[in-house]
Amino acid sequence: MGAPLYRLENLAYAYPGRPAASPFSLELDELAIPEGEILALVGPNGAGKTTLLMLLAFLLRPARGRLEFRGLDPWAAADGAAAARLGAVLLTHHPYLFKGTVADNVAFGLRLRRLPEAEIAARRSEALALVELEGWEHKPVSALSAGQAQRVAMARALALRPRALLLDEPTANLDAPLGLRMEAVLRDAGRAWGTTVVLSTHNFSQASRLAGRILYLSGGKQVEFGHENCFSGPAETDGRTSWIEIGPGLRLVFAGRVKGRVTCVIDPSAIRVTAADGPAAPGAGPNAFRGRVSRMEMTEAATALVRVVGEAVFRASVPLAEIERGGISLSREVLVTFDPASVRIVGERSGESGEHQ
């Protein structure tokens, strides 16, 4: 991996004019993204993934901190951000295509960069082949489906061979087999051109397949664990324990006396998974949630990563011996339980009525 293409230090951004009742701010203490890396951003809706991509594309200016691109702060000079945008291309979840043909769209950025017509034609053909749209040059964009439009927009970005390719849910409108083939295209782009790829996705499996590193975000902050185990909300307390509502009638309970908005995470190794109808099923108590096993992934440490979907979504790290003893399998109805003391608070807290332990 090369030298850092991006370096972020004490970065913060807040959208102006947001209601006080629903404040949002993105805050990252430190992040370096090397040249040629594929970095995946995962997290729930509103976590800050798209905001970070727009900052990396220099479409938003940080409110605080430093954002370097190729060793320089693009915002330090009058035309620095405009110049940096030529090297960082953002492909949004709902891409905008210009009127005209597929060829017009794919060639647009190349002509802005004043490339020779022969090179424009070669890059356009190569990019359309990569997204499996060979021979579509003369198709009007008005006749394209959502998936085809997304592939044209991806071809337009790939044709530029940017230093940074920033993707917001890049395969959301594609069927599964085509999405997998586009993942391979993105991997190859990084290898062939040294392009740094940063993508946001709700698909943890895609992030694991495609990225060399995964950045988990929740509530505008980096968190340690996967987004299945992150929950945010206003905390209430009875003076001994505290809780947030993670669904209708569902409380996530943690130790200490806390009030104000918080983000909670649970270490996957602290979560117990038991068959809902088995003899080892726990009785009534805090932090007991019912669901079904939707995915099991083996690791090299004699454990499995078990994803449970139901009243909430959790990801647990469970020893294989416990899985075998408990008869845990795909689609099995299970109970997820964990101690209040294993819940970690990582978000901001305001109006605390005591110390959180």
Side-chain angles (χ1 to χ4, degrees):
M1 208 67 67
L5 181 68
Y6 288 99
R7 189 183 297 278
L8 289 65
E9 294 180 357
N10 300 316
L11 189 76
Y13 181 83
Y15 287 96
R18 283 290 179 97
S22 58
F24 170 83
S25 64
L26 177 70
E27 299 180 14
L28 293 172
D29 294 335
E30 186 176 6
L31 177 65
I33 307 176
E35 292 183 353
E37 180 179 40
I38 300 181
L39 173 68
L41 311 177
V42 299
N45 289 332
K49 303 185 298 296
T50 301
T51 300
L52 179 54
L53 288 174
M54 293 183 71
L55 284 162
L56 296 177
F58 313 107
L59 299 176
L60 297 176
R61 182 170 185 167
R64 189 190 73 226
R66 186 172 178 85
L67 169 55
E68 291 184 358
F69 182 65
R70 303 180 67 184
L72 300 173
D73 179 359
W75 296 103
D79 59 350
R85 290 182 195 123
L86 295 175
V89 175
L90 173 64
L91 176 58
T92 63
H93 177 37
H94 299 289
Y96 177 81
L97 296 183
F98 306 111
K99 290 182 180 179
T101 66
V102 168
D104 295 332
N105 274 268
V106 178
F108 180 81
L110 300 172
R111 290 204 166 97
L112 281 181
R113 288 158 174 78
R114 302 182 184 278
L115 270 64
E117 283 298 321
E119 185 172 354
I120 289 175
R123 287 201 191 189
R124 181 177 59 207
S125 296
E126 179 188 27
L128 287 173
L130 287 173
V131 300
E132 302 181 17
L133 291 176
E134 301 99 321
W136 285 56
E137 283 86 349
H138 302 297
K139 292 269 188 181
V141 297
S142 58
L144 301 178
S145 68
Q148 291 163 353
Q150 190 163 19
R151 283 189 282 159
V152 170
M154 187 178 293
R156 184 172 61 190
L158 290 169
L160 297 173
R161 300 178 185 175
R163 302 298 293 266
L165 185 57
L166 312 169
L167 308 167
D168 195 2
E169 296 284 345
T171 62
N173 294 319
L174 309 180
D175 61 38
L178 182 56
L180 289 172
R181 296 199 296 274
M182 292 305 101
E183 289 178 15
V185 168
L186 295 175
R187 280 193 299 269
D188 291 343
R191 296 191 190 108
W193 305 324
T195 297
T196 298
V197 178
V198 183
L199 72 147
S200 74
T201 180
H202 285 94
N203 186 332
F204 186 85
S205 293
Q206 180 182 68
S208 300
R209 286 192 303 270
L210 188 55
R213 186 165 49 125
I214 299 175
L215 179 69
Y216 303 103
L217 293 172
S218 181
K221 295 177 176 60
Q222 183 177 357
V223 295
E224 185 176 354
F225 307 116
H227 62 291
E228 288 96 337
N229 298 345
C230 293
F231 303 91
S232 297
E236 299 294 337
T237 184
D238 61 9
R240 298 188 307 275
T241 60
S242 303
W243 61 86
I244 61 173
E245 299 282 342
I246 63 172
L250 296 177
R251 285 184 174 181
L252 190 152
V253 179
F254 47 91
R257 296 177 294 156
V258 179
K259 295 195 72 175
R261 188 170 185 83
V262 299
T263 296
C264 304
V265 295
I266 306 99
D267 187 333
S269 65
I271 296 175
R272 297 181 295 275
V273 179
T274 55
D277 56 357
N287 298 336
F289 304 92
R290 188 175 293 265
R292 290 187 182 275
V293 176
S294 68
R295 186 183 305 135
M296 298 177 69
E297 303 171 32
M298 300 301 123
T299 74
E300 296 179 356
T303 62
L305 294 176
V306 179
R307 188 173 188 263
V308 178
V309 178
E311 295 175 323
V313 180
F314 294 94
R315 189 177 180 84
S317 177
V318 185
L320 295 180
E322 291 185 16
I323 290 175
E324 294 171 1
R325 276 198 305 270
I328 306 301
S329 59
L330 284 173
S331 300
R332 182 77 186 265
E333 189 171 8
V334 295
L335 284 176
V336 166
T337 58
F338 48 90
D339 296 328
S342 67
V343 179
R344 177 182 168 198
I345 306 300
V346 297
E348 290 184 354
R349 302 196 295 269
S350 59
E352 291 183 348
S353 57
E355 291 295 325
H356 173 73
Q357 303 294 330

